[in-house]
Each structure stands twice: as C-alpha cells, then as structure tokens.
Amino acid sequence: MTSTSTGPHFGGLLLLGLLTAVFVTAAGMKFAALPFEVAVFARFGYPLWFMYAVGAAQLLGAALLWGRGTVAHGALLLAAVMVGAAFSHLRAGDPVVMALPALLLLGLLAGLAYMRRGELMPASLQASRA
C-alpha cells in the first residue's frame, strides 16, 4: 500500500482544525463569562481576571497553530494551559475523570509540539545543522 501526499497533510489539518475549534470555543465561553466558567474558576479559587487571561492564552495558542513556524509554540502554550487545567481539577479534589479531557488534549498537543520541534530551534542552530 502506498501513501499519498494528501493523507498525512489532511490528517494534520484535521488535527489543527479540531484543536482550534476546541480552544476557540473554550475561550469564547470564558470571554462570555458563562456562569459555568465563572463558577469553575471560583471553585478553583482563581480570581475572575484569571479566567480572561486563560481565555486569551487559548485564543493566542489557537492562532499560533496556524502560523508559519509557530505551530510548536502554540501547541506548547496550549499544553501549559492543559497542565494547569488538569492540576486545578486534581487540586480541587475532583475525580480524575474530570481531568481526562485536559490530559487527552495535553497528549495531542505534546505530540504536535514534538512533531514540529524543529520550529523551536533558533534559526542559527537550524542553519548549522543543515
């Protein structure tokens, strides 16, 4: 079986699209100050401004996923947000199942950052490796 050049490219675009949809939606819910989001951040003991900061980080990360040479940076930013989300759930005493979505997204984002790790090297190091 031969692979086509559109297969992996399509899969990568699909992953980026799904991650973008998840994080833009999550950021929108925070910026809309949906009662659910406000209650969760209050239950975690975070101030309201932090909810907006997390939403901004989610939007920035989603945008970076589509920039030339910034995919790994966006994935790492969003992965850091997911570490914080999982930690917050566990620290609040939530069942582990509540942290699973964040952990799943963390795994996808870590894999994406690893696949695009070449973007994280300074240009001078990239040139010397070529």
Side-chain angles (χ1 to χ4, degrees), residues 18-104:
L18 289 172
L19 288 170
T20 300
V22 165
F23 287 106
V24 167
T25 301
M29 292 180 352
K30 287 170 183 63
F31 286 126
L34 293 182
F36 164 77
E37 290 286 349
V38 174
V40 166
F41 275 78
R43 188 169 60 79
F44 290 160
Y46 299 136
L48 189 59
W49 67 263
F50 188 66
M51 179 181 73
Y52 295 110
V54 170
Q58 290 174 322
L59 276 183
L60 176 60
L64 288 171
L65 291 179
W66 293 95
R68 174 174 272 166
T70 63
V71 176
H73 295 90
L76 287 176
L77 173 59
L78 293 170
V81 172
M82 291 301 94
V83 167
F87 175 77
S88 296
H89 278 291
L90 297 174
R91 188 184 65 151
D94 290 343
V96 174
V97 71
M98 295 288 290
L100 284 181
L103 293 171
L104 174 65

